[in-house]
Amino acid sequence: MRTATILFTLTALLIAVALVAAGIGPYPIPPQTVVDALWQRLIGGDIQSTIDTVLFNIRLPRIVAAGFVGAALAAAGAAYQSLFRNPLVSPDILGVSTGAGFGAVVGILLGFPVAMIQFLGFAGGLATVAIVVTLARALRSSGDVLVLVLAGIVVGALAGAAISLVKVLADPYDQLPAITFWLLGSLSGIKAHDVAATVPVVLIGLAPLILLRWRIGVLSLGDDEARALGVEVGRLRAIVIAAATLVTASVVAISGVIGWVGLMVPHMARLLIGPRFDRLLPAAILLGAAFMIGVDTLARSAARIEIPLGVLTAIIGGPVFVWLLAHNRRRLLP
C-alpha cells in the first residue's frame, strides 16, 4: 500500500512538473490553458495558433525529451548500482557517456548533420561497452565485476583523451564552441523528430530492466545466492549491461553528457521507497523524469542565456548527494 502511494505521488509530481514547465518561458501559458490545449489536440479541436506553435513545436518536444533523458539515466544508474552492488556507480561506470561524447564530437569535427552526429554518439556509447566487455573476456574475467569496472574506467579515460585531442584539432571559432556546449549537455536544439527517433530506443532498453526487475534485485544478494535461487547470473548481467548501455547511449546522443542524474536520483528514490529493486526502478524512473524536466526548465528560464544542463546538475547534485550521504548512510546502500 505504501509503495503504491509513493508511486502514485511521484506520477502526480511528474505530471504537475510537466504542466508547469510547459507554461514557463518568454510566452507564459497558464497550466489550465495547457490542459485545454492538450485536450483540444486530442479531440481534434481548434487551438490558438500562437499557443499551438509554442506548445507543440517548441516546449512539449523538449519536455518529453527531458523526461526520457532523466528516466533513462536514473534507470541505468539504479540498474548499475544493483548489478555491481555499489551505491557509488553511475551510467559512466563502463565509459558509456564518454564514448558517446567522443562519437558526437567526431561528427561535429567532420561537419556532419545533426542526425548523423546523434547516430555517431549512439554508436560511440555502444562501441565503448563492446570494447570493455571484449577486454574483460580477453583477460578471462568477463564475469568479474571489478575487472569490468576497471576496464570501463580505462576505456573511458582513453575516450576522454580522444575528446581532448578532437577539441585541439577543431576550429576554435566554429567547431570548438559547438563541441564544448554539447559536452556540457543541452536540449536547446531538440525537435519532435529527435524525440520520435529516441523514445522507441529508450523504451526497448527499459523493457528488459522492468520485466526482469525482480531477478535483477536478487543480484544484490551476491552471485552465489542468486545462483542458488535459480538465476543465471552471467546471462542476466549481460542483459542488464546491454539494456542500461542502450538507454544511456540513446539519450546522451540527443542531450550531450549530463552527469549526476544516474548517481543521485536512485539514492533519492531509495530513501523514499527502500532498496528493493522491483520497487526502486519505477520510483527512480518517475523521479528522474520529474527532476530532469525541472532542471531543464530552470536551465532555459533562469537567465538570459541558457545554462548548460551538465552545469546545473553538478551544482544541484553535489550538495544534494553529500546531504543524502550524511542523512542516512545505511539506507542508501542497496
Side-chain angles (χ1 to χ4, degrees):
M1 186 65 180
R2 178 177 177 272
T3 299
T5 301
I6 293 175
L7 293 179
F8 177 80
T9 303
L10 290 177
T11 303
L13 174 65
L14 173 59
I15 295 173
V17 170
L19 290 177
V20 172
I24 295 177
Y27 184 83
I29 305 174
Q32 183 60 45
T33 304
V34 174
V35 175
D36 292 340
L38 291 172
W39 175 250
Q40 292 299 323
R41 172 59 71 95
L42 185 63
I43 65 176
D46 294 330
I47 307 173
Q48 182 183 339
S49 60
T50 304
I51 293 177
D52 182 71
T53 301
V54 171
L55 271 183
F56 297 100
N57 293 343
I58 300 175
R59 291 185 189 166
L60 287 182
R62 181 163 180 168
I63 289 171
V64 173
F68 272 91
V69 169
L73 293 177
Y80 280 133
Q81 289 172 12
S82 180
L83 178 68
F84 297 124
R85 302 192 298 278
N86 188 331
L88 298 180
V89 300
S90 68
D92 301 333
I93 192 65
L94 297 181
V96 181
S97 297
T98 311
F102 174 65
V105 299
V106 168
I108 296 173
L109 178 67
L110 298 178
F112 288 157
V114 175
M116 190 62 182
I117 291 172
Q118 292 174 353
F119 173 77
L120 287 177
F122 176 72
L126 294 182
T128 301
V129 173
I131 293 173
V132 170
V133 174
T134 302
L135 181 60
R137 287 182 176 176
L139 297 173
R140 297 182 180 180
S141 301
S142 58
D144 191 332
V145 173
L146 179 60
V147 173
L148 281 172
V149 171
L150 293 177
I153 292 173
V154 170
V155 175
L158 292 175
I163 289 175
S164 299
L165 178 60
V166 172
K167 292 169 71 174
V168 170
L169 298 175
D171 181 355
Y173 300 104
D174 182 22
Q175 296 172 328
L176 184 58
I179 290 173
T180 302
F181 190 74
W182 189 90
L183 288 172
L184 290 175
S186 175
L187 291 171
S188 59
I190 202 73
K191 303 297 181 185
H193 60 82
D194 298 322
V195 177
T198 303
V199 167
V201 181
V202 174
L203 293 177
I204 290 172
L206 288 178
L209 296 180
I210 295 173
L211 294 175
L212 298 173
R213 61 188 184 277
W214 288 280
R215 296 192 178 190
I216 296 172
V218 173
L219 289 179
S220 63
L221 300 175
D223 290 356
D224 293 336
E225 289 80 358
R227 291 190 184 96
L229 293 173
V231 175
E232 297 185 23
V233 175
R235 179 181 298 180
L236 183 60
R237 180 174 288 125
I239 292 174
V240 173
I241 291 175
T245 300
L246 181 63
V247 297
T248 302
S250 61
V251 297
V252 168
I254 65 168
S255 68
V257 180
I258 301 175
W260 287 97
V261 179
L263 176 64
M264 176 180 59
V265 172
H267 286 284
M268 298 170 66
R270 197 173 287 117
L271 283 177
L272 289 174
I273 208 164
R276 279 184 51 176
F277 187 78
D278 58 314
R279 300 173 181 176
L280 175 65
L281 181 63
I285 289 174
L286 294 171
L287 191 59
F291 174 78
M292 201 68 242
I293 292 173
V295 170
D296 183 60
T297 303
L298 182 64
R300 61 181 172 82
S301 60
R304 287 187 175 183
I305 61 172
E306 184 164 319
I307 304 172
L309 293 176
V311 173
L312 274 182
T313 55
I315 292 174
I316 297 171
V320 170
F321 188 68
V322 171
W323 177 83
L324 288 172
L325 289 176
H327 179 67
N328 198 335
R329 291 196 311 171
R330 291 184 179 180
R331 290 181 61 188
L332 286 174
L333 297 176

